[in-house]
Amino acid sequence: MRVNLSKIKLGEVNHVGGFVENIRNKKFMCFIVLRDVTGRLQLTIEKEKHPELNDVLDQITVDSVIEAKGLILASEYVKLNGMEMYPDEIKLCSTAAPNPIVAPKGEETNIDMRLDYRWIDLRTDKNTLMFKTQSYFVAKCREFLVDKDFTEIHTPKLIATESESGAGVFKVDYFDGNAYLAQSPQFYKQMAMAAGFERIFESGPVFRAEKFASRKHATEFTGFDLEFSYIESYEDVMKMEEEMLTYALAAVKEKYGEEIKKVYDIDVVVPTLPFPRMDLKDVYAELEARYGYKVDESEKGDLTTEGERMVEKLSKDMFGHEFLFITGYSKECRAFYHMRDENGVPCGYDLIWKGCEITTGAQREHRYDVLKAQAEEKGLGADIEFYINFFKYGCPPHGGFGIGVDRITMILFDQGIKDAMFLFRGPDRLTP
């Protein structure tokens, strides 16, 4: 049975397989560097001893997939892990055509061309590490929540209404009518609170029908959302998020920190608790006082794109921290289902990490009459009546947040969103 290259045993016959990273097929000798998802191994073939392998060796190209069986021995002359295989058998599983996205030495292929051949572009140590880390990060978030008695649910992505948030939606044909792709699981997370589930989370696709020109936006991405009941304020929600992120990032650093430093030259920083918090008006005051950044009063109900970027420096200068919770957004800039305080200010926040918003969270409005009035204030009526009805028959106070998994990956590895997603979706890309 084939074994991963990380599990091969010296002094024994092993059965391995992978992509051919390099081949030097000489008159008397052939050297192959084999690569799988766990590592690399040199194969050394003495042609005179194995003339039966010559035909298959002549067919092997770079990126071909082969399997091989042979004895693995240590060698002081082999730089690659100090070992090599002397194969007795080689099977050519798949012959590769010339790589279409190889750039001239010292240059990088255009991202859009690399996305055209994404399955080839992903065959790198950098990408393998990035997506292993992403998987581990999400697993640790799950672990953190399951240990706190959260239940994972799976909400529908086909919805009947197009009015869920401020973002655009995709309309799809649905038998004799129309349906829409969900912008978030928000309504159904809250339905779970009305159902008495108390603590739930979900990881799944999110759709946004928005045209953009940004390194952080996509029309489809993976969201990690949670909601929980019997909170006293949105401070409970922020506390849950900061503890979960710290737990997951600490695990990532322990497992992959050294490798990330080696491959990306990036230090994984485990944040200290609690994360700093600032009111939006104070953020603008500090940005102006410290860096001369001014915005018109009409814009101060929300955080501008430039202001968001500058928050990275502000948080480091004021708190020595990569994260910053910002509260105090205007009700005009927040969803109708956010609870408001006695002054009409939404009880919610954004979390900024390294100058990029990764979360919007809040305490939700759970009182039927108040929620209905806030929806009507936003011009929402019959199309969300199904959602309003969740609260008509009793619902505990609750809150939650959503994180973009791809955006977390993008920030952690200092990449653009196109590189940080397994397959990017944007206004001009639906393939591969």
Side-chain angles (χ1 to χ4, degrees):
M1 180 179 290
R2 172 188 172 272
V3 296
N4 286 338
L5 296 181
S6 63
K7 296 182 178 179
I8 55 179
K9 296 181 179 180
L10 280 170
E12 296 184 14
V13 173
N14 289 256
H15 177 190
V16 299
F19 289 91
V20 173
E21 186 170 272
N22 189 25
I23 179 169
R24 291 182 290 144
N25 193 5
K26 306 296 184 181
K27 184 175 181 180
F28 300 108
M29 300 287 292
C30 182
F31 302 95
I32 295 172
V33 176
L34 191 68
R35 180 191 75 249
D36 72 7
V37 73
T38 66
R40 290 169 174 76
L41 176 68
Q42 178 172 301
L43 279 54
T44 301
I45 303 99
E46 300 178 43
K47 291 186 171 183
E48 288 186 348
K49 290 184 178 181
H50 293 285
E52 74 280 4
L53 298 180
N54 287 342
D55 286 345
V56 71
L57 293 175
D58 289 340
Q59 298 176 60
I60 295 174
T61 58
V62 172
D63 283 337
S64 292
V65 177
I66 66 171
E67 293 187 24
K69 290 182 181 179
L71 182 65
I72 295 182
L73 297 175
S75 174
E76 60 181 302
Y77 302 107
V78 177
K79 293 182 179 179
L80 184 60
N81 301 320
M83 66 178 72
E84 58 189 333
M85 170 183 274
Y86 294 91
D88 299 311
E89 300 176 30
I90 295 179
K91 177 184 177 182
L92 177 58
C93 302
S94 174
T95 304
N99 190 323
I101 57 172
V102 173
K105 191 172 183 179
E107 297 182 19
E108 186 175 15
T109 307
N110 176 275
I111 178 62
D112 290 313
M113 178 177 285
R114 288 192 284 116
L115 290 181
D116 288 341
Y117 297 92
R118 183 60 165 163
W119 64 98
I120 302 173
D121 181 47
L122 288 169
R123 297 175 189 171
T124 65
D125 290 340
K126 294 184 74 171
N127 279 321
T128 299
L129 175 59
M130 181 161 58
F131 288 103
K132 281 183 177 180
T133 303
Q134 182 187 86
S135 174
Y136 192 67
F137 173 85
V138 173
K140 286 300 174 178
C141 288
R142 278 193 172 96
E143 180 178 274
F144 174 86
L145 295 174
V146 169
D147 285 347
K148 291 186 177 295
D149 298 324
F150 278 73
T151 299
E152 184 170 8
I153 64 171
H154 306 282
T155 61
K157 305 310 166 195
L158 285 170
I159 59 176
T161 173
E162 60 179 313
S163 297
E164 188 172 341
S165 73
V169 293
F170 291 107
K171 181 189 294 186
V172 297
D173 293 332
Y174 195 73
F175 300 103
D176 295 328
N178 294 318
Y180 304 89
L181 297 179
Q183 302 154 330
S184 83
Q186 184 60 47
F187 286 178
Y188 298 106
K189 288 194 303 176
Q190 292 186 257
M191 189 188 84
M193 300 301 97
F197 279 25
E198 295 192 7
R199 293 181 166 219
I200 63 92
F201 70 96
E202 174 177 16
S203 181
V206 176
F207 302 90
R208 299 287 168 90
E210 297 174 308
K211 290 189 175 182
F212 50 79
S214 163
R215 70 182 290 267
K216 67 180 184 179
H217 287 97
T219 53
E220 179 184 355
F221 58 91
T222 300
F224 191 96
D225 287 77
L226 66 83
E227 204 82 13
F228 60 110
S229 292
Y230 300 106
I231 65 172
E232 294 184 9
S233 76
Y234 64 95
E235 180 64 41
D236 295 335
V237 182
M238 290 192 286
K239 186 173 186 293
M240 183 70 73
E241 180 168 15
E242 66 189 4
E243 290 179 355
M244 184 187 78
L245 288 174
T246 300
Y247 180 86
L249 286 172
V252 164
K253 184 177 181 65
E254 181 178 356
K255 187 175 181 67
Y256 291 114
E258 290 184 9
E259 196 174 352
I260 291 171
K261 178 64 175 178
K262 179 181 177 181
V263 176
Y264 283 89
D265 194 25
I266 290 172
D267 292 307
V268 178
V269 177
V270 179
T272 56
L273 292 171
F275 293 4
R277 289 128 162 86
M278 289 186 71
D279 190 278
L280 182 59
K281 66 178 183 300
D282 297 326
V283 169
Y284 277 123
E286 290 292 341
L287 290 178
E288 181 174 349
R290 291 170 178 265
Y291 317 120
Y293 179 69
K294 300 180 181 180
V295 298
D296 189 81
E297 286 296 323
S298 62
E299 297 185 81
K300 289 188 175 181
D302 201 358
L303 187 61
T304 64
T305 301
E306 180 62 23
E308 182 179 304
R309 285 195 289 265
M310 295 181 71
V311 162
E312 177 179 17
K313 180 172 173 56
L314 180 66
S315 187
K316 287 182 178 178
D317 288 349
M318 290 188 68
F319 308 107
H321 212 284
E322 291 186 346
F323 290 86
L324 181 65
F325 283 120
I326 300 179
T327 61
Y329 290 84
S330 71
K331 64 181 181 182
E332 289 78 17
C333 300
R334 300 281 98 166
F336 73 92
Y337 48 77
H338 287 201
M339 181 178 282
R340 300 171 188 172
D341 66 17
E342 63 277 8
N343 298 313
V345 178
C347 300
Y349 66 89
D350 278 356
L351 178 58
I352 314 297
W353 184 25
K354 293 184 179 180
C356 183
E357 179 257 307
I358 61 168
T359 298
T360 293
Q363 179 169 3
R364 319 302 185 186
E365 181 51 72
H366 63 282
R367 296 164 295 182
Y368 174 78
D369 293 340
V370 178
L371 183 63
K372 186 174 183 180
Q374 289 183 181
E376 291 172 350
E377 177 186 289
K378 294 274 189 176
L380 302 173
D383 52 351
I384 60 163
E385 186 174 352
F386 81 97
Y387 163 73
I388 302 294
N389 280 338
F390 297 161
F391 306 91
K392 197 171 185 178
Y393 305 96
C395 184
H398 61 276
F401 61 84
I403 296 175
V405 172
D406 309 288
R407 197 172 285 189
I408 287 281
T409 308
M410 176 191 83
I411 298 169
L412 181 60
F413 287 91
D414 193 23
Q415 300 291 300
I417 195 67
K418 292 181 178 181
D419 286 295
M421 300 183 72
F422 180 74
L423 281 173
F424 172 75
R425 288 291 177 260
D428 301 316
R429 181 165 292 277
L430 274 173
T431 59

